[in-house]
Amino acid sequence: MTDLPNSLRTGPDARGHFGQFGGRYVAETLMPLILDLERHYRAAQADPAFKAEFDYLLKHYVGRPSPLWFAERLTEHLGGAKIYLKREDLNHTGAHKINNCIGQILLARRMGKTKIIAETGAGQHGVATATVAALFGLPCTIFMGAVDVARQQPNVFRMKLLGAEVVAVESGAKTLKDAMNEALRHWVANVHDTFYIIGTVAGPHPYPELVRDFQSVIGDEAREQILEAEGRLPDMLIAPVGGGSNAIGLFHPFLDDADVEIVGVEAAGEGLDGKHAASLAGGRPGILHGNKTYLLQDDDGQITEAHSISAGLDYPGIGPEHSWLHEIGRVRYEPVTDAEALASFQKLTKLEGIIPALESAHAIAAAERIAPTLDKDKIIIVNCSGRGDKDIFTVADALGVAL
Amino acid sequence: MTRFAATFAKPRTALVAFITAGDGNTAANLDALVAGGADVIELGMPFTDPMADGPAIQAANLRSLAKGTTTADIFAIASAFRERHADIPLVLMGYANPMTIRGPEWFAAECAKAGVDGIICVDIPSEEDAELGPSLRAAGVDLIRLATPTTDPARLPAVLDGAGGFLYYVSVAGITGLQQAAQASIVDAVARLKAATDLPVAVGFGVRTPAQASEIAKVADGVVVGSAFIDIIAEHGDAAAAHVEAFTRTLADAIHGAKEIAA
């Protein structure tokens, strides 16, 4: 990390705030644990053995570094800037989620916690958490909205095979937001022995910071890889943003490179006039799940339901650091609809032989929009944050194909 | 003398009763609580994501919101209550987002105007006091803080700094309405808290029966009961008031007499 006083990479402040965002808005019962987590994280950061074990697991278990693939046929098809894909889809378990889970389970072990819990929407973070829990031999409970359980059966079965207990959450709209509520309820009653592996750069401080740090391996590698491939930094980064962990992981190592334009892609669902999950474009600042950030909500501060064809983006909030980067203008956030993502899902599959996650397809769609407007000597890195095997049923359904 | 001070100056333990605003006939239920002998009223502000609440109060939140309850409705209920009951302390309890969405000054001013004496905000710990505390104190509305079994001695002074009204001891590490704490742990905790503050100490979370309430009332200044009332309202709907009043009376009798029996 740079020591420049004007660096954008030094956040959050000591109280966990990125500008007005972030913070620790949790029940008093959880406060001592959150403070304890922060102390242990600071100690881990200062311990070379912690980083060594994290790096070892990323290399030999996750399969890092993930390749940076020059998508030549997509580039030719679009006729503009060169597009590189950061292949997080090639990680063990098929997405970037595992990077963070490895880091957090190492922290859990350091803190002497013996049980693991997590929330999941599409099931990707649940699978990644169940995977590391199996690897470390710790019992694991995954909270998942009952609606998501029904529409993500393959991932539910994967988690069970990995030894996790999957709790179908029946409260609220029975999706990711409700799963997170229920995980928090379970945690508050089991703080003495339980570690909560939060799946994105949200929640109370220090979660947004530590998840970002564990995911920053994406951007660190991409930086090295593009320097090797092109001898210079990219002109633009593009990544999909739900909570925003893959995006912040790619963006953070480049925040101080003023010449690198950065674009986050929000899920615009049926369009910003209809049902969507674009917290920045359609929401305003509020407090939920332990942090202050942009939220989809009504005038009374009641949280409204999000919608995206991508279950991983189907959340009414966004990580607090993204809210800050949006407000200071360092990152530009653009909406992409279900229909656009669906088209890009198919296009990338046919042109590059890569089936992207629907989350990642949102970023591809933004690249399709932007690349043709740029000169051919410009370079874009798109985060292919996950593979799309999990989405084939959703896509078939959307295309009217019976499997 | 504030309504809190007057209430807790009485030589008996106070019954602090919680119901969710907009769930059932709230005005009638509030009157029933007072008629049955409740000393302090906590009126829950419904929220879509009640993270600290168990199944009973979660369901009450959703029932209320499904009926279209707004923040304006809650302040109307509070103002009307204050007109009918001049002396009973009234607390609004809920989550940060509905309380801060129009700005803390707006919320504090509305509370003062409606005759609300105190606020309990579940998800604003002392670390984030700036979000709400200064505005409430400036408006003369008490910010009631929560202490829990995990609040260690090193942390307690921070929790008490800026606290008013009474101190709410959450007797179990968990959510509302489920487990009950062991009496011995409550006795120890209340003694520890009272050594650290002059504020009255009310104990809640998981208190459902007159027998439990009576035990806690021997050592605490107040006993908070919530989910048990919510269950009655869920069962009887708009006709719950008579049942609420009868249950309140059994609780009040058990609590008000506890210290005399103990002595």
Side-chain angles (χ1 to χ4, degrees):
Chain A
M1 189 175 282
T2 167
D3 290 317
L4 292 174
N6 57 349
S7 171
L8 299 176
R9 301 185 63 202
T10 55
D13 66 20
R15 293 167 54 242
H17 290 252
F18 301 91
Q20 66 158 317
F21 301 107
R24 294 175 285 211
Y25 298 89
V26 295
E28 170 62 23
T29 310
L30 291 177
M31 251 338 279
L33 183 67
I34 294 290
L35 296 170
D36 198 37
L37 173 62
E38 187 180 358
R39 278 189 293 273
H40 279 88
Y41 183 53
R42 297 291 169 237
Q45 283 177 306
D47 180 359
F50 182 87
K51 182 165 183 353
E53 188 167 15
F54 179 64
D55 290 346
Y56 177 88
L57 287 163
L58 288 187
K59 180 176 179 186
H60 297 285
Y61 188 69
V62 176
R64 304 203 70 94
S66 68
L68 184 71
W69 170 248
F70 174 41
E72 199 168 355
R73 296 195 68 216
L74 179 65
T75 298
E76 279 172 18
H77 174 81
L78 296 175
K82 292 175 82 168
I83 296 177
Y84 282 83
L85 301 178
K86 181 59 175 164
R87 298 290 310 277
E88 291 298 298
D89 57 308
L90 291 176
N91 292 340
H92 180 42
T93 72
H96 68 288
K97 292 288 187 189
I98 190 89
N99 304 328
N100 165 50
C101 291
I102 294 277
Q104 287 200 47
I105 204 155
L106 289 173
L107 269 181
R109 196 183 60 186
R110 242 186 125 86
M111 293 177 75
K113 302 296 182 188
T114 54
K115 292 177 182 157
I116 299 297
I117 61 168
E119 85 295 339
T120 196
Q124 292 308 100
H125 175 58
V127 167
T129 301
T131 298
V132 297
L135 179 66
F136 282 73
L138 295 178
C140 168
T141 305
I142 305 293
F143 295 89
M144 187 170 186
V147 167
D148 290 334
V149 168
R151 65 184 176 184
Q152 302 287 343
Q153 275 298 316
N155 272 342
V156 172
F157 186 56
R158 270 182 204 112
M159 286 184 266
K160 287 180 177 170
L161 282 173
L162 289 160
E165 182 193 355
V166 179
V167 175
V169 176
E170 297 285 351
S171 58
K174 307 176 188 180
T175 59
L176 177 57
K177 165 171 87 76
D178 311 290
M180 196 149 183
N181 290 334
E182 206 59 32
L184 286 164
R185 288 181 189 118
H186 179 91
W187 195 29
V188 81
N190 295 278
V191 284
H192 56 288
D193 65 357
T194 299
F195 190 98
Y196 182 9
I197 297 188
I198 292 183
T200 192
V201 282
H205 175 68
Y207 278 102
E209 177 187 346
L210 66 88
V211 176
R212 175 200 71 199
D213 293 347
F214 294 141
Q215 292 291 4
S216 289
V217 65
I218 301 172
D220 288 335
E221 284 177 7
R223 188 183 184 91
E224 204 170 294
Q225 290 165 321
I226 199 70
L227 286 173
E228 188 185 323
E230 296 279 353
R232 68 178 186 88
L233 293 181
D235 299 287
M236 183 182 286
L237 307 172
I238 304 178
V241 182
S245 69
N246 86 80
I248 208 79
L250 176 64
F251 298 168
H252 197 257
F254 293 92
L255 287 180
D256 288 335
D257 298 295
D259 292 339
V260 178
E261 202 176 335
I262 304 182
V263 178
V265 182
E266 289 197 288
E270 297 167 355
L272 293 179
D273 298 334
K275 292 191 292 178
H276 64 82
S279 311
L280 294 175
R284 56 201 172 107
I287 297 166
L288 181 70
H289 292 156
N291 63 134
K292 182 189 269 196
T293 192
Y294 273 76
L295 300 170
L296 299 180
Q297 55 185 319
D298 70 13
D299 290 344
D300 272 350
Q302 304 294 349
I303 308 304
T304 52
E305 295 299 333
H307 163 79
S308 169
I309 191 172
S310 154
L313 303 180
D314 197 350
Y315 179 72
I318 185 170
E321 193 166 10
H322 285 291
S323 289
W324 176 69
L325 291 168
H326 165 69
E327 284 212 343
I328 64 170
R330 176 64 184 95
V331 178
R332 185 172 92 234
Y333 294 85
E334 292 194 2
V336 160
T337 64
D338 287 353
E340 291 170 310
L342 202 55
S344 293
F345 177 97
Q346 297 169 83
K347 183 168 285 177
L348 190 73
T349 300
K350 285 181 177 147
L351 285 175
E352 295 288 338
I354 295 170
I355 303 178
L358 277 170
E359 292 80 1
S360 316
H362 282 74
I364 306 291
E368 284 188 48
R369 201 188 284 160
I370 296 166
T373 69
L374 301 178
D375 292 340
K376 289 186 177 183
D377 62 350
K378 298 292 184 187
I379 299 167
I380 301 176
I381 296 178
V382 180
N383 205 0
C384 188
S385 54
R387 69 179 176 223
D389 305 57
K390 69 183 172 63
D391 293 316
I392 57 171
F393 301 104
T394 305
V395 171
D397 190 48
L399 298 177
V401 177
L403 293 182
Chain B
M1 192 183 257
T2 66
R3 292 187 191 96
F4 284 128
T7 298
F8 287 104
K10 292 177 189 170
R12 66 182 202 194
T13 304
L15 168 58
V16 182
F18 172 96
I19 62 172
T20 298
D23 177 35
N25 186 340
T26 303
N29 292 335
L30 289 174
D31 290 346
L33 290 171
V34 174
D39 303 285
V40 177
I41 302 292
E42 287 179 14
L43 187 59
M45 295 179 65
F47 183 45
T48 41
D49 296 83
M51 286 153 286
D53 285 301
I57 297 178
Q58 282 177 46
N61 276 264
L62 295 181
R63 283 194 300 269
S64 175
L65 292 173
K67 281 168 58 183
T69 304
T70 65
T71 300
D73 295 335
I74 296 164
F75 280 119
I77 290 169
S79 296
F81 175 87
R82 181 52 69 223
E83 282 174 21
R84 298 195 304 278
H85 306 284
D87 301 326
I88 303 280
L90 178 65
V91 174
L92 291 185
M93 179 168 186
Y95 293 84
N97 204 45
M99 291 182 181
T100 57
I101 189 67
R102 293 182 175 88
E105 301 82 7
W106 180 88
F107 184 74
E110 289 296 302
C111 287
K113 204 162 72 184
V116 170
D117 302 283
I119 292 300
I120 301 173
C121 183
V122 174
D123 51 349
I124 297 187
S126 51
E127 280 76 1
E128 304 290 351
D129 185 68
E131 203 63 53
L132 191 59
S135 298
L136 289 177
R137 288 186 286 273
V141 178
D142 282 316
L143 176 65
I144 295 158
R145 284 266 174 70
L146 304 155
T148 75
T150 60
T151 308
D152 55 44
R155 188 172 159 68
L156 189 55
V159 170
L160 292 170
D161 184 23
F166 60 91
L167 184 64
Y168 187 143
Y169 179 61
V170 175
S171 61
V172 292
I175 52 178
T176 54
L178 296 180
Q179 326 91 309
Q180 189 209 343
Q183 178 68 12
S185 74
I186 293 175
V187 172
D188 289 351
V190 171
R192 185 163 56 84
L193 295 174
K194 290 188 75 70
T197 180
D198 293 331
L199 288 173
V201 176
V203 176
F205 273 50
V207 185
R208 282 178 165 272
T209 67
Q212 285 173 282
S214 169
E215 281 300 301
I216 295 169
K218 288 175 189 168
V219 296
D221 302 304
V223 181
V224 188
V225 178
S227 294
F229 287 115
I230 299 294
D231 286 346
I232 292 171
I233 293 166
E235 184 183 346
H236 298 285
D238 286 341
H243 301 276
V244 168
E245 182 175 338
F247 181 61
T248 307
R249 187 160 289 118
T250 64
L251 283 171
D253 288 348
I255 290 171
H256 290 159
K259 284 207 172 108
E260 289 160 30
I261 296 166

